Amino acid sequence: MLGLTLKGVSLALREGRISPTELCRKCLNRIKKTQHLNAYITVTEELSLKQAEQSETRLRQGVPIGPLDGIPFAVKDNFSTRNIKTTCGSRMLKDYTPPYNATVVQKLLDQGAVLMGKTNMDEFAMGSGSTDGIFGPVRNPWSYATSYLTQSGASPDSDWVISGGSSGGSAAAVASLTSYLALGSDTGGSTRNPGALCGVVALKPTYGLLSRHGLIPLVNSMDVPGIITRSAADAAIVLGILQGFDVKDSTTVPSPSSPQELPEDFDVRNICVGIPKEYHAPGLSQDILAQWSRVADLFESAGARVKQVSLPHTPYSIVCYHVLCCAEVASNMARFDGLEYGHRSEMNSSTEVMYTSTRHEGFNDVVRGRILSGNYFLLKQNYQHYFVKAQKVRRLIADDFRRVFSSGVDVLLTPTTLADAARYHHFTQEDNRTRSTQEDVFTQPANVAGLPAVSVPVSLSTRGLPIGLQLIGPALEDRKLLSIAQWLEERVGFQSISDSDDSQQSRNVTGRTQREQTSAV
Ligand code: GLN
């Protein structure tokens, strides 16, 4: 049951093959067995069992609310959840309990989905490893897969690999079979990056399609709630439920009316796939390059038109992203002053000392570094040179995409990450800020331009770890993007690669052994 997709388990619930309470207990057990992954910050055991019982009553009476009724899900710890701690992985909000639910969380609860817990992340979603939060790093479930251990000769105790980030807990929760769906957030790639490294489907919807109300902001003009599932079809179901105008978020748009289920027979012969030449970035691994061209060939041999395209401003995107990101961070983080929310320093000899020490104690150096850079970019004498210029570059980047899509290209095919998951000890040796910048190279342009993008797992690397490729589509064509993703998913058969590799089994067994042997992370 735990290995099924959301769609599959939803059917099993409806056919009475398992009850919501049994399913919830299985997931809770699984969370305990995989504790060493450190995917969850808070497990909402009592609440989930209560919600499962309510769902059970509805199903028994033959009145399920919809396809999510009784489905276990997880939520990144930067979405507000009523009466449940929402920490953002930061000392600043370690004990913060919001009085309301984020709109997307409320929508899932309204559908009868069962909340298993809040997932681990980089502090305030700044990072690409899930190595930078106060609750410790997230371990990638694939660290314990037979494929990785045998092909790379790794030892599970010392050579475990990162989950990617910043929504690493959410990706690990879905990949380790403790939830069928998880919410991440995606500002520069934080849903797609861990999705690719953990071998799950990760959708960053069009900006404005999903409400940000209750998502603690990083970069308001780029943040979107992300959807992590085991299949594109599952992502489409969740998207259908979550999308739409929200009076509490003035940047939301009405949802394009469309059914939740994807068409079974999407015909790729009618589509044109663009391969942006600027995405041949330095540092791209041979494994990813090989998969990129294999998948392009798959499209071509199925009758799609595949052509090279140019997005000439791509090389400027990462700098543009960082200037705008830091500027918005500087402004967003001003609310954490020790007065209204979260941590307040004991050092209060003056108001200024209290502010300074609260922020020094509450934020890690990545967050403080971005606040500092952002305030520098926003200084009166720098504003035109950095902030305004970055806004102009942003327009050029968006125009590049618009030009390509209006020339008849339906979708762009690119890598999601430069390489497969790095070993934790290797990743943390390097300065994480530099590393973060490199990791976002393929993902942040879609945020800068507000476009939908999805990472689809396509293969295992030579080290036996998942590789994902990214599809980017025109604004508001999320559903078509997922139809193409579904086609790709069926062609590459990643699910059966991962099952036949016996990795789910080994992730289970080895994971348990690992937990018993060590005192976890
Ligand atoms: N790595 C990016 C950053 O640190 C991703 C942020 C995100 O998408 N939340 O800015």
Side-chain angles (χ1 to χ4, degrees):
M1 277 297 160
L2 291 180
L4 293 176
T5 59
L6 185 160
K7 207 171 158 187
V9 84
S10 177
L11 190 68
L13 285 169
R14 253 139 228 83
E15 290 177 352
R17 279 182 278 136
I18 190 164
S19 76
T21 322
E22 283 168 324
L23 186 63
C24 178
R25 284 192 198 284
K26 273 183 190 292
C27 287
L28 288 169
N29 274 337
R30 179 88 187 153
I31 290 175
K32 288 192 185 112
K33 281 182 191 155
T34 55
Q35 240 169 24
H36 60 286
L37 300 177
N38 204 17
Y40 288 82
I41 292 175
T42 304
V43 179
T44 48
E45 179 162 354
E46 218 174 292
L47 176 74
S48 60
L49 285 167
K50 199 169 120 212
Q51 290 173 345
E53 270 164 35
Q54 290 165 350
S55 168
E56 189 143 338
T57 310
R58 287 190 295 271
L59 281 157
R60 211 179 310 117
Q61 293 167 346
V63 286
I65 302 171
L68 295 191
D69 206 340
I71 304 287
F73 76 106
V75 173
K76 187 176 180 179
D77 215 17
N78 58 350
F79 286 93
S80 299
T81 41
R82 187 154 58 90
N83 299 337
I84 301 166
K85 270 188 194 170
T86 298
T87 68
C88 277
S90 174
R91 178 143 192 246
M92 187 60 89
L93 292 180
K94 195 166 59 60
D95 299 312
Y96 172 62
T97 303
Y100 68 101
N101 284 325
T103 297
V104 284
V105 172
Q106 190 60 49
K107 282 190 173 187
L108 293 174
L109 293 174
D110 289 346
Q111 288 292 318
V114 173
L115 178 64
M116 306 309 295
K118 303 292 296 289
T119 59
N120 203 350
M121 56 185 285
D122 286 301
E123 183 161 331
F124 280 101
M126 299 182 205
S128 306
S130 299
T131 52
D132 253 357
I134 53 154
F135 298 97
V138 178
R139 294 185 180 204
N140 190 321
W142 285 83
S143 307
Y144 307 99
T146 316
S147 55
Y148 171 62
L149 295 174
T150 52
Q151 286 177 48
S152 68
S155 139
D157 288 335
S158 54
D159 297 333
W160 56 275
V161 296
I162 60 162
S163 61
S166 61
S167 315
S170 286
V174 174
S176 61
L177 317 181
T178 61
S179 280
Y180 294 84
L181 140 76
L183 293 180
S185 65
D186 197 312
T187 307
S190 278
T191 295
R192 288 160 287 156
N193 174 292
L197 300 190
C198 292
V200 288
V201 172
L203 172 72
K204 171 231 175 280
T206 300
Y207 180 81
L209 194 54
L210 270 58
S211 170
R212 290 178 294 113
H213 172 69
L215 167 61
I216 296 173
L218 175 60
V219 183
N220 309 50
S221 71
M222 297 189 210
D223 293 343
V224 286
I227 296 171
I228 299 176
T229 51
R230 292 176 204 158
S231 75
D234 288 355
I237 293 171
V238 178
L239 180 76
I241 286 162
L242 297 186
Q243 67 186 8
F245 174 73
D246 180 10
V247 73
K248 294 176 184 145
D249 174 0
S250 62
T251 59
T252 48
V253 293
S255 52
S257 57
S258 51
Q260 290 170 10
E261 300 262 333
L262 294 178
E264 297 267 305
D265 49 355
F266 186 82
D267 191 354
V268 295
R269 273 174 307 178
N270 301 326
I271 67 163
C272 175
V273 180
I275 312 287
K277 66 173 200 249
E278 293 79 7
Y279 281 60
H280 284 90
L284 186 61
S285 78
Q286 281 306 317
D287 271 339
I288 306 235
L289 193 60
Q291 288 305 321
W292 192 14
S293 59
R294 178 177 81 103
V295 168
D297 290 347
L298 278 179
F299 274 109
E300 194 151 40
S301 53
R305 208 155 75 83
V306 177
K307 69 168 187 183
Q308 197 182 74
V309 297
S310 175
L311 300 162
H313 297 94
T314 303
Y316 307 107
S317 191
I318 195 110
V319 178
C320 167
Y321 168 78
H322 273 278
V323 171
L324 297 176
C325 172
C326 291
E328 292 198 38
V329 162
S331 138
N332 273 326
M333 296 293 151
R335 80 193 66 193
F336 301 109
D337 55 8
L339 292 180
E340 282 177 280
Y341 308 91
H343 178 70
R344 179 189 293 191
S345 174
E346 305 272 294
M347 293 170 63
N348 53 8
S349 55
S350 72
T351 309
E352 202 184 340
V353 167
M354 193 278 283
Y355 282 159
T356 316
S357 40
T358 293
R359 290 161 73 74
H360 183 82
E361 292 162 12
F363 292 137
N364 70 6
D365 60 351
V366 175
V367 178
R368 288 202 307 272
R370 289 201 197 185
I371 295 173
L372 215 63
S373 315
N375 281 321
Y376 177 80
F377 299 143
L378 293 172
L379 283 176
K380 194 167 175 233
Q381 65 270 32
N382 293 338
Y383 185 77
Q384 287 293 332
H385 189 60
Y386 290 100
F387 186 72
V388 174
K389 185 170 267 177
Q391 294 284 27
K392 290 179 180 167
V393 174
R394 181 176 198 175
R395 170 54 61 91
L396 294 174
I397 290 161
D399 283 349
D400 278 355
F401 282 110
R402 214 168 292 132
R403 204 172 315 113
V404 164
F405 288 129
S406 57
S407 75
V409 169
D410 297 274
V411 69
L412 295 165
L413 173 68
T414 81
T416 309
T417 57
L418 285 164
D420 58 2
R423 289 188 180 166
Y424 173 71
H425 296 292
H426 185 238
F427 185 81
T428 46
Q429 266 163 21
E430 291 172 46
D431 174 12
N432 194 33
R433 269 163 282 180
T434 322
R435 185 78 199 211
S436 241
T437 315
Q438 291 160 357
E439 293 301 335
D440 302 335
V441 64
F442 303 124
T443 48
Q444 46 70 34
N447 300 79
V448 169
L451 302 176
V454 60
S455 180
V456 183
V458 294
S459 179
L460 294 181
S461 67
T462 44
R463 295 198 304 156
L465 293 169
I467 287 180
L469 289 181
Q470 177 178 233
L471 298 167
I472 308 175
L476 298 174
E477 297 211 4
D478 304 54
R479 196 174 123 80
K480 181 169 166 192
L481 190 70
L482 286 175
S483 301
I484 300 171
Q486 175 173 256
W487 179 90
L488 176 59
E489 191 176 80
E490 280 163 10
R491 289 311 168 287
V492 294
F494 180 82
Q495 201 53 47
S496 57
I497 299 173
S498 109
D499 291 346
S500 69
D501 173 70
D502 204 21
S503 59
Q504 296 194 346
Q505 193 58 26
S506 65
R507 269 180 274 163
N508 182 2
V509 175
T510 324
R512 186 160 52 233
T513 315
Q514 166 75 5
R515 191 172 59 86
E516 286 161 3
Q517 281 170 353
T518 71
S519 56
V521 178

